[in-house]
Amino acid sequence: ISPSAVSVAPSHNFVYVTDAVDNDVVAYSADGSSGSLTEISPRTPAGTSPAAVINDPSGAFLFVANQASNDISAYTIASGGKLTEIAGSPFRVGAAPSALAVSPSGKFLYVSNTNSSSISAFTITSGTGVLVPVPGSPFLLGFGPFGLAIDPTEKFLYVALPQANGFTALTIDPTSGALSPITTVPFAAGTDP
């Protein structure tokens, strides 16, 4: 396979790898003592050029950013690690989604849209995993965002901005998940962070 991204389920029993050539997600069961992996068949179709993958903190849902089809595939994870697509999936985002971040509480999903210089934000519906756009989403940044990280308190989203040779920080509204920039000027981070 031609892996693009890897995510380990919080239970550590399953590993998910995106295959950007075959446009699917490959699931593996992991042996807790040896670390060896066994592929779970069949593979699960994703969108075009899946580039990022992430689990929610509970291990109930898996989200995949499909870079060429500009959408997010969403799945429930069964007890055996098999993936089932969530109703309404795939969910539209901006151009060239490249990174994903789920809040530690599992309430919000953020997607960096590199070619549309924006962040798409969703509420993750408890129990179903259905993605509901946060009011005001997508949030424009002015630079092509790439990597994302949420601080453990869920107050801030940090975004790498390779085109600006820096990064930015945004506050996260704890109720709605809406984003607000802390500053309009990126923090310096060296070349192409």
Side-chain angles (χ1 to χ4, degrees):
I1 70 173
S2 297
S4 295
V6 177
S7 183
V8 177
S11 66
H12 303 289
N13 293 334
F14 306 109
V15 176
Y16 298 94
V17 180
T18 60
D19 183 342
V21 172
D22 292 326
N23 298 318
D24 58 21
V25 179
V26 186
Y28 297 91
S29 61
D31 183 301
S33 58
S34 70
S36 65
L37 301 175
T38 303
E39 186 172 337
I40 301 169
S41 294
R43 293 180 176 201
T44 304
T48 307
S49 299
V53 60
I54 194 167
N55 291 90
D56 78 310
S58 73
F61 309 116
L62 186 80
F63 304 101
V64 176
N66 301 304
Q67 201 163 46
S69 54
N70 301 323
D71 55 27
I72 302 298
S73 296
Y75 309 93
T76 58
I77 301 173
S79 59
K82 187 175 177 181
L83 301 175
T84 302
E85 195 162 18
I86 290 172
S89 175
F91 299 91
R92 298 297 301 165
V93 294
S98 56
L100 303 167
V102 173
S103 60
S105 67
K107 188 174 179 180
F108 303 113
L109 170 71
Y110 297 96
V111 183
S112 62
N113 305 307
T114 302
N115 290 351
S116 57
S117 298
S118 66
I119 302 291
S120 293
F122 297 93
T123 298
I124 302 170
T125 305
S126 179
T128 66
V130 170
L131 299 178
V132 178
V134 165
S137 178
F139 299 92
L140 297 178
L141 294 180
F143 298 97
F146 199 74
L148 301 173
I150 299 174
D151 84 295
T153 66
E154 292 190 24
K155 292 181 181 178
F156 306 104
L157 175 69
Y158 298 97
V159 183
L161 303 170
Q163 296 172 3
N165 293 327
F167 71 98
T168 192
L170 303 111
T171 58
I172 299 172
D173 182 285
T175 305
S176 70
L179 301 174
S180 301
I182 292 175
T183 177
T184 56
V185 179
F187 300 98
T191 304
D192 199 23

